[in-house]
Amino acid sequence: MKKLLLLLVFAGAMSFRATNLDPISQADRDKLVAELSESLDMLKQTTEGLSAEQYNFRASEGRWSIADCAEHIALAEPALFQWVQSTLQEPADPAKRAEVKVTDEALIKSLPDRSQKFQAPEELKPTGKFGSGEAGVQAFKEARMKTIEYVKTTQDDLRNHFMQHPAAGTMDSYQGMLLLAGHSKRHI
């Protein structure tokens, strides 16, 4: 009986310990999957049934078309994902948490706001790489599904690795993934 009780106590302690060592909380994981899925669904709904003429329409000279936006977010998805991944190459540093000034909620709210414009890096500007708006949307969908799968399964400690954003300052890597989700909403 003592051995059984000891085994149960040990098993309980190990399951408690494993639960507390999860590098990303289930709530954070669920929120991030929801944000990534929401922006993917927004793009699907926005572009469903568009003609080639609609994809390529420009409101004015120098403005991006829907096809251009689709290409941009398809190119940006893996680039932003790699940026977040690069933060994981350094050791986790929980002490840097004090440098993070932006909240998850403020980041999510501010990203779609187009009142402040940013210039896309040259490698993320549309050039017609995918040949059509539909192909750009498809490339984005494929990249986004890989991102969602990563979030669902990652054991990376996204809350204790950090990055510097030109406008938001220090963000944790989880917030970098929120940035990735919000970036596509911004362009949709």
Side-chain angles (χ1 to χ4, degrees):
M1 186 68 164
K2 285 184 181 179
K3 287 183 181 180
L4 180 59
L5 185 57
L6 185 59
L7 180 63
L8 288 173
V9 169
F10 179 74
M14 293 314 300
S15 68
F16 177 75
R17 182 176 174 203
T19 301
N20 288 335
L21 291 178
D22 190 9
I24 179 174
S25 74
Q26 192 59 50
D28 279 350
R29 192 181 301 276
D30 292 346
K31 178 65 176 170
L32 189 49
V33 168
E35 288 293 321
L36 291 163
S37 297
E38 180 183 8
S39 53
L40 175 60
D41 291 343
M42 284 174 65
L43 182 65
K44 288 177 185 177
Q45 291 170 3
T46 302
T47 60
E48 187 176 329
L50 292 181
S51 67
E53 183 179 347
Q54 289 170 317
Y55 264 112
N56 294 307
F57 173 79
R58 294 179 192 283
S60 63
E61 184 66 32
R63 299 290 305 252
W64 286 1
S65 66
I66 294 170
D68 291 336
C69 289
E71 180 180 347
H72 171 69
I73 62 174
L75 294 172
E77 182 84 3
L80 291 171
F81 184 80
Q82 286 297 68
W83 184 26
V84 171
Q85 291 296 295
S86 72
T87 68
L88 303 174
Q89 303 308 308
E90 297 294 321
D93 187 359
K96 282 187 142 182
R97 169 114 340 258
E99 297 174 28
V100 176
K101 303 300 181 211
V102 65
T103 66
D104 296 353
E105 293 75 25
L107 190 62
I108 290 167
K109 184 179 177 186
S110 69
L111 284 166
D113 179 5
R114 300 280 301 160
S115 63
Q116 187 176 9
K117 303 288 185 179
F118 297 96
Q119 193 63 243
E122 204 59 41
E123 62 273 11
L124 300 182
K125 289 183 180 176
T127 63
K129 172 182 180 169
F130 298 112
S132 71
E134 294 97 339
V137 168
Q138 185 58 36
F140 173 75
K141 287 179 188 177
E142 290 168 9
R144 176 53 58 91
M145 291 310 297
K146 289 178 185 175
T147 303
I148 290 171
E149 186 58 30
Y150 164 79
V151 171
K152 287 180 176 179
T153 61
T154 188
Q155 292 302 303
D156 292 334
D157 185 357
L158 299 175
R159 286 297 194 182
N160 288 309
H161 288 86
F162 300 89
M163 56 201 309
Q164 289 298 312
H165 186 272
T170 302
M171 300 187 320
D172 65 36
S173 300
Y174 177 85
Q175 291 175 319
M177 295 298 290
L178 288 174
L179 173 80
L180 191 150
H183 174 260
S184 52
K185 282 184 182 179
R186 181 178 180 83
H187 290 284
I188 294 168

